[in-house]
Amino acid sequence: MKCATLEWVQGVALLFIIPAVVPMLIPNSTLLETLLEKYMDKDEGSETLISKHRAKRAITESDKQVILDLHNKLRGQVYPPSSNMEYMVWDTELERTAEAWAETCLWEHGPASLLPSIGQNLGAHWGRYRPPTFHVQAWYDEVRDYTFPYPQECNPYCPFRCSGPVCTHYTQVVWATSSRIGCAINLCYNMNIWGQIWPKAVYLVCNYSPKGNWWGHAPYKHGRPCSACPPSYGGGCRENLCYRGDESETHYSPQEPEETNEIERERTKTQEPRPRTHTPTSSTRTEELDKNEVINTQQMSQLVTCETRLRDKCKGTTCNRYECPPGCLDSKAKVIGSVYFEMQSSICRSAIHYGIIDNDGGWLDVTRQGRRDYFIKSNRNGVQSIGKYQSANSFTVSKVTVKAVTCQTTVAQFCPFQKPVTHCPRIYCPRNCMQENPHIARVIGTRIYSDQSSICRTAVHSGIIQNHLGGYVDVMPVDKRKQYIASYQNGIFSESLQNPPGGKAFRIFAVI
């Protein structure tokens, strides 16, 4: 029920095997011996080490901590939110079993006697240094191919009987009842990775208990965080996770030196409306009633059909973000061109042709590119495009990327207005930005905001997200604003501003 696929992207390979995602790095620089030394046997010389097939495993306390902290951080931010996600703790027995398997330097899951009772994720790389959290984030990033509550885009038998994405490694990371983890790291010499010999592979093994990934079951229950915790937790809740007070304190460091700020898009059909109600405690009830609460559901992305042509939708807007339905491979709508598409092309089928989305639909950005002298036909991803040897206006398609920001991040820092207009990534805001210092994380304006404003506090002020939940937002930078109007909404006072230099501004939109 767990599976694997092989992808090569710009020198980085992601290997997925039963039952865990396994990211691997193809070297593009000389090996950094000093960075790998902590995973070598300190008692042996380098000549002895090179002659060995295996090297002694080691994992530092700091590596244990960041692996555990990142798991809990990712488990606490799942979307849709989980009502029964348990806080994960380190298990020395699982660490011991992971150590024993890592020392075998075998690129497969095992031992067979343990696999029926534990979950297991594997990671390996060689070349330039990667922290162990690089692999953890890669496991979680399979969320792009997962539809809650069941993995309808992923096939658990790939790639042995088919081709396609997998997501069982993501689901193991966020399996609600898998509350214990133990990992080990080993430096393996001449490790055989599916027929390739890696001279020095850094091998990560993580074991989970209780085992997750039971086929046909969702990894967690959807609902208000901590509302369905097991009775053994006594009602304890921490960072959206069921928590016992006697569990050791752990903290995730935002300075972790790796690419963990990317949050992959959620599929359209996974998006359930976020709850807009909140029951205040007696001590906060008066404050809640006096908030001048505003709810804003205006969206930047437009829902289109498989047949919608760009010429039908693109009427001079500076930003075009579209949401395509599933099943567009079956449509007969025409696509004209390759890479550059003629304006009479179907938006969604052009995106499938280029590889931005698949037949399950999803989000994409469109950029108008002016006139092209001709358009070339090609057959890609199941879509046959048409050639046209006549000048016409064109467009290109691109993926909607998602980035996490802090409560203080401004549009001027993150996505400044410039011509020609470019698309801003979709933004993920953390919770509780209302508590930020308003002099540092300013909100300037109402409805139209200055680009010196905090994106996330602006989202709370405008009613796009709730302060205690955080969430996804879209922003559109705009130009030529001479004044901004102050107001009090959702517990935040915004500022007024007259004739600011440049007058650059932005609008903010919901992602529902």
Side-chain angles (χ1 to χ4, degrees), residues 305-312 328-338 340-354 375-378 380 382-388 390 392 395 397:
T305 68
C306 299
E307 288 71 34
T308 303
R309 302 172 298 177
L310 188 60
R311 67 176 298 175
D312 301 328
C328 287
L329 272 178
D330 301 325
S331 169
K332 301 300 181 183
K334 63 183 176 181
V335 175
I336 305 170
S338 300
Y340 292 90
F341 301 98
E342 204 262 355
M343 298 286 283
Q344 297 187 69
S345 300
S346 157
I347 297 172
C348 298
R349 282 173 56 79
S350 295
I352 294 176
H353 182 275
Y354 195 68
F375 299 86
I376 301 172
K377 69 177 182 179
S378 65
R380 295 183 60 189
V383 175
Q384 175 66 60
S385 69
I386 303 169
K388 180 175 180 179
Q390 181 180 347
F395 68 93
V397 293

Side-chain angles (χ1 to χ4, degrees), residues 2-276:
K2 300 173 183 178
C3 64
T5 186
L6 182 63
E7 295 181 351
W8 301 87
V9 181
Q10 296 181 344
V12 177
L14 295 179
L15 174 64
F16 306 102
I17 68 174
I18 301 173
V21 60
V22 189
M24 308 184 296
L25 183 68
I26 298 301
N28 55 9
S29 63
T30 58
L31 298 178
L32 304 180
E33 293 287 350
T34 56
L35 291 171
L36 296 178
E37 282 179 355
K38 67 178 180 178
Y39 300 123
M40 296 181 181
D41 190 335
K42 302 292 186 181
D43 298 328
E44 299 184 83
S46 60
E47 292 182 2
T48 304
L49 283 173
I50 292 175
S51 66
K52 292 184 60 156
H53 175 67
R54 307 180 184 112
K56 184 179 179 180
R57 163 266 171 192
I59 184 169
T60 65
E61 288 298 322
S62 62
D63 282 343
K64 292 180 185 179
Q65 194 65 50
V66 295
I67 288 172
L68 178 61
D69 288 351
L70 183 55
H71 271 81
N72 279 320
K73 174 178 180 287
L74 296 172
R75 287 163 68 84
Q77 70 179 29
V78 293
Y79 188 85
S82 168
S83 63
N84 69 327
M85 187 70 70
E86 298 181 32
Y87 186 89
M88 188 172 277
V89 296
W90 194 267
D91 188 294
T92 54
E93 182 61 22
L94 288 174
E95 178 190 351
R96 187 190 66 78
T97 60
E99 174 184 353
W101 187 250
E103 288 179 346
T104 68
C105 291
L106 295 175
W107 190 235
E108 59 189 58
H109 287 266
S113 59
L114 278 182
L115 291 181
S117 58
I118 64 167
Q120 188 176 75
N121 281 359
L122 307 179
H125 71 271
W126 71 302
R128 71 182 179 89
Y129 172 75
R130 294 281 185 177
T133 44
F134 169 80
H135 300 291
V136 177
Q137 186 69 39
W139 300 336
Y140 181 85
D141 285 347
E142 286 184 3
V143 65
R144 70 171 72 97
D145 296 312
Y146 180 76
T147 296
F148 187 88
Y150 304 115
Q152 293 158 342
E153 285 87 19
C154 316
N155 190 321
Y157 301 107
C158 296
F160 302 111
R161 303 183 209 172
C162 65
S163 62
V166 295
C167 56
T168 48
H169 324 104
Y170 159 76
T171 53
Q172 177 60 80
V173 169
V174 301
W175 201 268
T177 57
S178 293
S179 60
R180 300 195 301 278
I181 185 175
C183 304
I185 300 174
N186 190 26
L187 183 69
C188 295
Y189 289 90
N190 300 322
M191 187 174 179
N192 188 328
I193 307 289
W194 275 10
Q196 291 190 352
I197 303 301
W198 287 9
K200 293 180 181 179
V202 178
Y203 189 22
L204 170 67
V205 178
C206 284
N207 288 343
Y208 301 83
S209 181
K211 179 186 179 69
N213 283 346
W214 295 102
W215 191 247
H217 293 266
Y220 58 83
K221 297 177 182 177
H222 168 43
R224 180 170 56 84
C226 299
S227 62
C229 293
S232 60
Y233 284 89
C237 185
R238 175 180 175 180
E239 300 297 324
N240 295 336
L241 303 174
C242 305
Y243 180 75
R244 295 186 186 91
D246 59 348
E247 287 166 338
S248 60
E249 294 292 315
T250 56
H251 302 281
Y252 175 73
S253 170
Q255 285 78 37
E256 178 64 30
E258 58 164 334
E259 307 87 344
T260 59
N261 65 333
E262 182 108 356
I263 302 174
E264 298 294 342
R265 67 181 173 87
E266 298 282 348
R267 298 285 185 186
T268 300
K269 56 190 175 184
T270 72
Q271 302 293 327
E272 298 182 15
R274 286 193 283 277
R276 291 288 180 178

